[in-house]
Amino acid sequence: MYIVESGRVRVSVCHADGQEKTLYVADTGAMIGESDCILGQPYSSTATVVLPSRVRAVPSALVQELFHADPVSTLKTAAQLLCISGICARN
């Protein structure tokens, strides 16, 4: 899982016909790949930096361990930590 600390990242998928489709644009505070990470699946999308950005990787094993132990508390804590650090999630 990744957290956009600053900047902007485009998240997209490539269809079988080769066309790329933008799913969303992740701005400061957004999490990327959280659902695939929690489910233990390979990432299903591509992230491309579109502005100078700082992105922090969160180890998937840690996310999975915390989420499976207590899903509600893990999500609430993640949101609180982002806001405490001045990065409130928008996505």
Side-chain angles (χ1 to χ4, degrees), residues 19-36:
Q19 290 190 348
E20 185 177 25
K21 175 170 175 43
T22 298
L23 299 175
Y24 62 95
V25 176
D27 289 312
T28 299
M31 290 185 275
I32 300 172
E34 65 276 9
S35 58
D36 290 331

Side-chain angles (χ1 to χ4, degrees), residues 13-73:
V13 293
C14 188
H15 295 288
D17 63 5
Q19 290 190 348
E20 185 177 25
K21 175 170 175 43
T22 298
L23 299 175
Y24 62 95
V25 176
D27 289 312
T28 299
M31 290 185 275
I32 300 172
E34 65 276 9
S35 58
D36 290 331
C37 180
I38 289 168
L39 295 172
Q41 300 176 345
Y43 291 112
S44 58
S45 58
T46 299
T48 306
V49 173
V50 295
L51 290 177
S53 301
R54 182 174 173 173
V55 179
R56 182 174 305 270
V58 180
S60 59
L62 175 62
V63 174
Q64 290 172 2
E65 180 182 333
L66 293 172
F67 183 79
H68 291 295
D70 188 349
V72 174
S73 292

